[in-house]
Amino acid sequence: MFKQIYKNYIDMNKMMINELDLATAHDGLTGNYREEMWVKFFRGIIPMKYSIAQGVIIIDSKGRRSNEVDIAVYDEQYTPYVFQYNTLKFIPIEAVAVVIECKSQDWNKDELRKWSCSIKKLEPVRTGVARIVSGYATGLTNTVQTRTRPIHILASIHPIARETTFQKVKQDLGAYFDFIICQQKGRAKNENREFKVLVKNEGKTLSWWGDELNKASAKKDCEDKKEEKERNDRSKYLELQFINNKTEKKKILDIANKEKLTDEWLNEKYDELEFKDLKLTNTLKKLNVEGNQFLTLNLQLNQLLMLINNPMWFPHFAYAKRFEEVAKEIAEES
C-alpha cells in the first residue's frame, strides 16, 4: 500500500508536467489553466477544514491591503465570512493560513519580494474573544500565537537545469517564500523533468518554525539579522506541554517516573522523533522523503499547518472600529 502511494505522488508530479506542456501548446490557456491546476493539487493535500479561494485581497483591521493573491487557503470556522464586492474577495489576515503566488516561466524577483512583503506587513490583531475549556478568553492571553502569518508558497513552472541555480533561487527568495516550487529541467532533450520543491529553512527545528509562523516579524523588508539570530537562539527545542489537567498531568508524570524517562529511552521508543533534555529537536528536513518531491511537500506543509493549528480568533471589535471610522468619513464627505 505505501509503495503504491509513494508511486502515485511520483506519477502526479509527471502528470502535472505533461498537463502544463499541453496547456502551453495552446495560446490563451496557460495562465488560467496553470492556476486551476495548482488549486486542484493543493485541494488534494490540504485538510478540508480549510477553504481555498482564487484572486483575493487580504486585509487587516487598520485598513491595509495586500497585493492580489492568486490562491489563498483560509479557515472559515473562525472567520465564517469574507467581505465580497462583486467578484472581488477580501479576506481578513487573521483567517489566512497559506498564500500561493502562481508564476509562469518568467520571474521578476523584485516583484515577488514586494508581493510577499505586502502580506507580511499586514497586522493581525489579538483582541478576538472566544470561549475555551477553562472559560472565556481573548487572544491577548495566548502567548504562543501573538502574530500568526500565512505560509508563503511560490508555485511556478520556471525551468531550472543546474543545481547551482536552484541554490541561488533558494538564497534569493527563501526569506520571502517558505516553499518554492519550480520545474527541474533535464539538460538532455529526453531527460525526465519534474517539479522540485525548495525550502531554505528546511534544517530549522519545529520550534523555530512555530516562532516564525506564530510570532512573525512586522519587518517590511522581511529580513532582520538581529531578530533572526535571537529566534535561532531560543528556538533550538520544542518544549512539549502536558495536558492542561492536574489529574492527567499526575498520571503522565507517574508513567514518566516509572519508566525513568530519559532522552535515550524516548529516542529508542519513538525513533522517528529526536529528543534532547526531554525536548523535541526534530527539523522539517526529517520529513523529507527521498526522491519524492510532492509527498515531501505534503508532509512538510501539513506539519506547519498543525503548528499554526487554528488561525487567530477573529477580532470583531477591531473591524467594527474600522468600519465606524469609515462611516464617519463618509458622513463628513456628504
Side-chain angles (χ1 to χ4, degrees):
M1 178 185 69
F2 278 89
K3 185 181 291 186
Q4 189 58 48
I5 294 172
Y6 180 94
K7 290 180 178 178
N8 281 345
Y9 275 92
I10 297 290
D11 293 341
M12 184 194 304
N13 197 326
K14 294 177 181 177
M15 181 184 69
M16 288 174 65
I17 289 287
N18 292 335
E19 286 183 4
L20 283 171
D21 286 344
L22 180 63
T24 305
H26 297 81
D27 292 339
L29 288 178
T30 309
N32 186 59
Y33 189 91
R34 180 178 62 244
E35 200 168 299
E36 290 290 344
M37 182 194 73
W38 288 120
V39 168
K40 181 180 177 182
F41 170 74
F42 284 106
R43 179 70 284 170
I45 68 171
I46 289 176
M48 292 302 294
K49 68 170 278 189
Y50 294 103
S51 299
I52 295 181
Q54 292 177 256
V56 307
I57 303 295
I58 302 174
I59 60 175
D60 68 13
S61 59
K62 303 295 184 183
R64 291 180 288 245
R65 50 170 284 175
S66 71
N67 294 348
E68 184 176 357
V69 175
D70 291 332
I71 303 171
V73 178
Y74 62 102
D75 193 327
E76 288 186 295
Q77 180 179 357
Y78 291 87
T79 304
Y81 50 81
V82 251
F83 303 118
Q84 188 161 341
Y85 181 78
N86 294 328
T87 58
L88 277 178
K89 292 181 180 178
F90 298 89
I91 303 179
I93 183 62
E94 289 83 5
V96 183
V98 183
V99 289
I100 304 167
E101 174 76 337
C102 301
K103 283 297 178 184
S104 63
Q105 297 187 18
D106 298 321
W107 278 2
N108 182 318
K109 291 181 180 178
D110 287 336
E111 290 301 316
L112 288 173
R113 294 185 187 104
K114 289 177 183 177
W115 180 90
S116 175
C117 289
S118 78
I119 299 165
K120 288 186 177 180
K121 74 181 181 183
L122 299 178
E123 184 178 353
V125 177
R126 301 170 62 193
T127 56
V129 182
R131 186 185 68 81
I132 59 176
V133 175
S134 58
Y136 296 96
T138 75
L140 296 172
T141 61
N142 186 353
T143 58
V144 298
Q145 191 180 36
T146 57
R147 190 190 171 96
T148 294
R149 71 157 175 87
I151 298 165
H152 289 223
I153 299 176
L154 172 60
S156 171
I157 60 173
H158 186 73
I160 298 176
R162 298 179 182 276
E163 182 60 31
T164 52
T165 308
F166 279 116
Q167 295 306 316
K168 189 174 188 329
V169 167
K170 189 189 296 187
Q171 187 62 37
D172 290 346
L173 295 175
Y176 302 87
F177 293 91
D178 303 301
F179 297 92
I180 302 170
I181 306 172
C182 46
Q183 184 183 167
Q184 185 169 20
K185 182 180 180 182
R187 295 187 185 183
K189 184 176 181 180
N190 296 322
E191 191 173 340
N192 288 337
R193 294 177 295 144
E194 67 171 353
F195 283 111
K196 186 168 182 175
V197 183
L198 309 177
V199 185
K200 180 180 179 180
N201 294 307
E202 191 178 46
K204 300 295 175 96
T205 65
L206 294 187
S207 180
W208 182 92
W209 280 102
D211 277 0
E212 170 63 22
L213 294 173
N214 292 308
K215 300 178 181 179
S217 169
K219 299 289 183 182
K220 292 184 180 181
D221 61 3
C222 306
E223 290 182 325
D224 186 278
K225 301 302 181 183
K226 181 180 178 182
E227 184 178 271
E228 174 73 8
K229 183 180 184 303
E230 290 174 352
R231 183 179 294 124
N232 285 337
D233 290 342
R234 70 173 183 264
S235 301
K236 294 178 181 177
Y237 315 118
L238 190 67
E239 188 162 3
L240 304 177
Q241 299 296 313
F242 286 110
I243 298 170
N244 190 24
N245 177 294
K246 290 183 178 179
T247 303
E248 290 299 319
K249 182 175 180 179
K250 184 178 184 303
K251 287 180 182 178
I252 293 171
L253 286 171
D254 287 344
I255 293 171
N257 292 329
K258 183 178 179 181
E259 298 286 354
K260 296 182 179 178
L261 199 62
T262 63
D263 291 338
E264 292 74 16
W265 184 85
L266 284 168
N267 288 326
E268 182 178 349
K269 188 171 180 64
Y270 306 103
D271 61 352
E272 69 272 27
L273 300 178
E274 298 172 353
F275 291 90
K276 183 175 182 180
D277 299 329
L278 303 184
K279 296 176 182 177
L280 196 65
T281 62
N282 282 61
T283 66
L284 206 62
K285 192 172 184 178
K286 186 81 172 177
L287 295 172
N288 191 316
V289 179
E290 186 66 30
N292 201 318
Q293 297 290 314
F294 278 176
L295 180 54
T296 295
L297 175 61
N298 185 336
L299 295 171
Q300 292 182 340
L301 175 58
N302 280 292
Q303 175 60 81
L304 295 188
L305 283 172
M306 288 180 71
L307 293 183
I308 295 176
N309 193 20
N310 293 313
M312 300 181 73
W313 293 339
F314 187 72
H316 294 84
F317 291 100
Y319 281 88
K321 180 181 177 182
R322 178 57 185 163
F323 281 120
E324 286 175 2
E325 292 170 353
V326 169
K328 289 179 181 179
E329 292 173 6
I330 294 173
E332 290 173 358
E333 289 173 359
S334 59

